[in-house]
Amino acid sequence: SAGGTWLFIGSGDGGPLLPVLSDHLIYSGYNSKAVEDAIAIVGAMESIDTVVIATATRALFNLGVDDSIEGLPGSSTLEPALEGLDAAVRRIVSAGKHVVLLVDNPTLPPKEDCIDRTTSSALINRLLIRPSSRNCQLPLARHRQLSRKYRDLLLEIERRHPGNVSVFDATGILCDEAGGICSPTKGGRLLYGITDHISDYAATLVGRALNEFLASRRLDAGTSGVSP
């Protein structure tokens, strides 16, 4: 990124990572020690001044599926999700770092069901090719309705740490705000890879906007601000 470099910390062979510090049962399947170690390492590195946290809504709220967040509005796991993520953020902030919470991307059906595939044979097309799922496009208003509890959680954490936590939302990049639709493609290119993970193309778009956001923060803060 402009003015600095990125260090990526993700899951390894020890099990999946989730950036929460919590003993709650819903997080028992995640590698909590690795999260503790990662936060300690990042906190001790003076060269790191901004930490971007990205996590899947489905994992944070223990929804149990990876192709929908329909269960989120009725979820009963808001308190452990809020307190677990906030505990991680609080420890990072206490180490003198600024935290950016990256809003999770929309969750759509598997991209394999959202691509119109055809062959050069009209007969094969008639017999074997299925039309793309009618659920491939998610109305933006519906996405915001479903994700409201999650977004409110992020804003609450930002409120708890004034000046030390920012929320960055890339929904406008991944969805057509003018048309009010979230779809699996943009400009003819796939926005999603495996399940609800964004593609390399989408990651490039989001990363570019995130760098601009961080650069803007640095300029707004002046010489005493955080440098991305």
Side-chain angles (χ1 to χ4, degrees), residues 83-107:
E83 298 307 327
L85 181 56
D86 185 56
V89 169
R90 185 166 59 249
R91 190 172 299 184
I92 295 170
V93 168
S94 68
K97 316 300 182 184
H98 185 85
V99 173
V100 175
L101 299 172
L102 178 63
V103 176
D104 191 22
N105 52 267
T107 300

Side-chain angles (χ1 to χ4, degrees), residues 1-226:
S1 60
T5 56
W6 285 98
L7 170 66
F8 176 78
I9 300 177
S11 59
D13 295 336
L17 300 184
L18 189 67
V20 299
L21 295 178
S22 173
D23 294 327
H24 199 282
L25 183 62
I26 65 172
Y27 301 127
S28 60
Y30 293 94
N31 192 335
S32 59
K33 184 180 185 304
V35 174
E36 295 262 6
D37 291 344
I39 291 176
I41 292 170
V42 167
M45 295 180 66
E46 294 184 3
S47 60
I48 294 179
D49 46 39
T50 301
V51 177
V52 177
I53 295 179
T55 187
T57 309
R58 56 178 167 79
L60 185 61
F61 285 88
N62 193 38
L63 297 180
V65 296
D66 59 13
D67 62 352
S68 169
I69 59 169
E70 290 283 340
L72 179 56
S75 170
S76 62
T77 55
L78 174 61
E79 184 175 355
L82 172 60
E83 298 307 327
L85 181 56
D86 185 56
V89 169
R90 185 166 59 249
R91 190 172 299 184
I92 295 170
V93 168
S94 68
K97 316 300 182 184
H98 185 85
V99 173
V100 175
L101 299 172
L102 178 63
V103 176
D104 191 22
N105 52 267
T107 300
L108 299 172
K111 70 177 189 306
E112 292 81 4
D113 297 331
C114 297
I115 302 173
D116 292 319
R117 290 162 293 203
T118 59
T119 73
S120 58
S121 169
L123 176 60
I124 292 177
N125 291 340
R126 286 198 303 272
L127 295 176
L128 301 179
I129 302 300
R130 296 180 302 169
S132 59
S133 168
R134 293 181 179 179
N135 298 321
C136 287
Q137 290 191 332
L138 174 67
L140 180 55
R142 178 61 175 163
H143 166 65
R144 286 178 171 153
Q145 178 188 31
L146 290 173
S147 62
R148 181 175 294 118
K149 183 180 289 190
Y150 161 73
R151 290 166 178 266
D152 287 347
L153 179 151
L154 299 186
L155 293 174
E156 170 60 19
I157 294 176
E158 182 183 45
R159 187 195 65 78
R160 292 182 179 186
H161 305 276
N164 294 313
V165 174
S166 303
V167 175
F168 177 74
D169 189 355
T171 303
I173 298 171
L174 300 172
C175 298
D176 177 4
E177 290 190 311
I181 288 292
C182 301
S183 67
T185 62
K186 183 172 186 175
R189 300 187 64 174
L190 284 172
L191 291 174
Y192 296 87
I194 301 173
T195 63
D196 59 346
H197 295 268
I198 61 174
S199 67
D200 290 345
Y201 170 64
T204 298
L205 298 179
V206 173
R208 183 182 302 131
L210 177 58
N211 280 335
E212 293 173 354
F213 173 77
L214 294 174
S216 176
R217 280 199 67 260
R218 179 181 56 184
L219 291 175
D220 289 344
T223 56
S224 62
V226 176

